[in-house]
Amino acid sequence: MMPGAVFKITLFMTNSTYFPIDKLKEGETPLYYYDLHLLDETLDAVKAAASYPNFHVHYAVKANSNPEILQRIAAAGLGADTVSLGEIKAAVTAGFPAPKIVFAGVGKTDAEITTALQYGIGCFNVESKAELEVIESLAAEMGVKAPVALRVNPEIDAHTHHYITTGLAENKFGIAMTMIDELVDYCIKSESLDFRGFHFHIGSQVTDLTPFKILCERINSLQERLPDIEIPLINVGGGLGIDYDNPDSNPIPDFKSYFDIFHENLKLRPGQQLHFELGRAIVAQCGSLITRVVYVKEGVGKKFVIVDGGMTALIRPALYQAHHKIENITSNSDIEERYDVVGPICESSDVFGTDEPLPLTKRGDLIALRSAGAYGEIMASGYNCRPLPGSVFSR
Ligand SMILES: Cc1ncc(COP(=O)(O)O)c(C=O)c1O
């Protein structure tokens, strides 16, 4: 089968009533295409796999805050994990109930904390003693009790790219295990803090589930160390990875194995609630960046396909050396060539792929970068004064 054929069928035949390829060709590229059917299927799979009564999934808004996507996820009944006031507002606007919103991040400002308290969000995931003191004093001024969970740095290597590992002592996130007892005590004695429990997040794009099992063991020993402390909730963060190489054969992550790791290894106390914060695993596979070939350039010993959307539309390859499957979705050629697929931005890192096998490619062809629904559109920038990419949906 010619490369890209599966994608053409999924994208343009399944959804042809709603978004035919002719219309895509007329569209202003680069643009993000979202397959909402796949998003719905993914949400169904998450909910089925996490159906234990005390499991609650919060969608990590940072992965993609496109209103259409957010509304769909809110309607499916998930909560929201946020890291800024902007994300809280986007979540509320999309229909997430405030008590199902949690708020993490190392640098929450006074204005963000105050507004989050006014909204009545479910929990602050607190990252330092300094932040805890500020939340306490702002809550006291407002005459409310702030619900807080302490973000613990579990010192676990998630074996992912070092820019997206978060649970090591060297990372800026979370509170060291050695400081936890003191801060729990502080929370419990405070009149303005409501201690809810502990929050963890080891990193992103974690494909080997072993680090999650180690996380369970760390949480078990922490809980055993604090037998007399009431801990209503444990939040294990997100991080489940996806298959960037095989988006068609593996469009929905193995949620069952992921949730079962926690079900089988975490010793929850009676009545204790377990929160998850999945981002990438929910939205990555439903999105593709569609970009147009501006030139095919003959280099020395290689050919470049220069497309109109580069690192400003999708920064992951430049930022994390990530690779997205690249497909020419309009070429019908049986001839396969090797190309370096690059963007138009004035940076040498603006490369989507080297030596990529593609059907014979010409100016005007449409190129899809698959699995771009997470950390794609949301990270787009206006560098080089380029407009932000738009978005289209299957319905
Ligand atoms: C605290 C926290 N929770 C959840 C997530 C979502 O991670 P992922 O998209 O890998 O599931 C992140 C991502 O960086 C995070 O920092």
Side-chain angles (χ1 to χ4, degrees):
M1 191 183 288
M2 193 185 71
V6 174
F7 181 58
K8 280 177 198 170
I9 291 164
T10 336
L11 180 57
F12 301 114
M13 289 180 69
T14 309
N15 303 318
S16 56
T17 322
Y18 310 103
F19 207 88
I21 192 163
D22 290 345
K23 187 144 184 205
L24 250 188
K25 277 183 181 165
E26 285 163 17
E28 186 98 347
T29 50
L31 58 83
Y32 275 87
Y33 170 81
Y34 294 108
D35 179 347
L36 296 181
H37 302 289
L38 179 57
L39 177 60
D40 287 346
E41 280 175 21
T42 308
L43 289 167
D44 287 346
V46 172
K47 289 196 286 181
S51 62
Y52 301 105
N54 54 340
F55 280 28
H56 307 275
V57 182
H58 291 74
Y59 166 65
V61 174
K62 66 170 77 68
N64 189 322
S65 66
N66 186 300
E68 193 86 29
I69 303 275
L70 280 189
Q71 282 162 24
R72 210 122 181 145
I73 298 172
L78 273 60
D81 158 46
T82 63
V83 290
S84 71
L85 182 55
E87 285 192 359
I88 293 174
K89 286 182 175 170
V92 169
T93 306
F96 290 93
K100 284 172 83 169
I101 297 176
V102 298
F103 183 18
V106 292
K108 301 178 191 77
T109 65
D110 292 19
E112 288 183 312
I113 293 166
T114 306
T115 315
L117 285 169
Q118 284 162 351
Y119 273 119
I121 64 152
C123 198
F124 290 85
N125 293 329
V126 179
E127 307 247 6
S128 64
K129 184 172 186 195
E131 182 194 328
L132 195 60
E133 288 168 351
V134 171
I135 293 177
E136 183 189 32
S137 82
L138 292 171
E141 272 173 36
M142 291 170 68
V144 296
K145 259 192 151 182
V148 294
L150 298 176
R151 177 166 179 181
V152 183
N153 187 328
E155 295 196 31
I156 293 174
D157 190 346
H159 302 296
T160 186
H161 189 273
H162 62 284
Y163 278 9
I164 47 176
T165 185
T166 56
L168 292 172
E170 70 204 45
N171 299 132
K172 68 180 175 181
F173 302 101
I175 300 163
M177 281 279 188
T178 48
M179 297 171 71
I180 287 300
D181 297 60
E182 177 203 334
L183 293 192
V184 169
D185 195 47
Y186 186 95
C187 291
I188 289 170
K189 288 187 177 140
S190 168
E191 305 233 313
S192 306
L193 298 173
D194 174 16
F195 177 67
R196 307 294 302 149
F198 297 110
H199 173 229
F200 305 82
H201 174 73
I202 59 172
S204 203
Q205 184 52 16
V206 181
T207 48
D208 167 13
L209 298 181
T210 314
F212 293 121
K213 196 172 167 204
I214 299 170
L215 175 61
C216 292
E217 288 157 10
R218 292 281 151 83
I219 297 171
N220 292 342
S221 58
L222 177 65
Q223 296 223 85
E224 278 156 23
R225 228 178 61 196
L226 303 167
D228 302 325
I229 306 292
E230 209 182 309
I231 306 170
L233 81 83
I234 298 288
N235 182 334
V236 292
L240 177 63
I242 62 135
D243 189 342
Y244 279 97
D245 296 329
N246 304 294
D248 292 308
S249 53
N250 236 346
I252 299 181
D254 183 0
F255 291 116
K256 183 156 169 31
S257 299
Y258 169 74
F259 288 113
D260 282 354
I261 288 267
F262 294 94
H263 180 64
E264 285 158 19
N265 295 284
L266 205 51
K267 293 182 198 154
L268 289 179
R269 295 177 182 174
Q272 203 166 41
Q273 304 301 302
L274 184 60
H275 287 194
F276 298 85
E277 300 172 339
L278 294 177
R280 184 190 314 269
I282 293 174
V283 291
Q285 295 292 26
C286 77
S288 296
L289 175 67
I290 309 293
T291 181
R292 195 183 307 264
V293 178
V294 191
Y295 299 108
V296 177
K297 172 174 167 174
E298 296 280 348
V300 181
K302 59 164 70 188
K303 284 182 182 169
F304 295 96
V305 164
I306 303 171
V307 292
D308 63 3
M311 62 191 284
T312 54
L314 177 64
I315 199 174
R316 296 190 68 258
L319 190 60
Y320 313 127
Q321 291 113 34
H323 182 259
H324 291 254
K325 191 169 183 197
I326 302 175
E327 291 175 340
N328 184 326
I329 57 172
T330 47
S331 171
N332 290 319
S333 174
D334 291 330
I335 302 165
E336 189 178 280
E337 295 262 348
R338 297 259 166 185
Y339 301 97
D340 282 12
V341 179
V342 301
I345 310 301
C346 298
E347 298 287 339
S348 302
S349 57
D350 189 29
V351 175
F352 285 140
T354 50
D355 216 20
E356 294 282 338
L358 290 174
L360 192 66
T361 296
K362 61 182 188 318
R363 174 176 163 81
D365 283 352
L366 292 181
I367 300 289
L369 286 118
R370 305 290 309 279
S371 317
Y375 307 106
E377 184 183 0
I378 189 71
M379 288 177 116
S381 80
Y383 180 46
N384 284 183
C385 290
R386 290 189 177 266
L388 294 175
S391 50
V392 291
F393 304 87
S394 68
R395 276 177 215 281

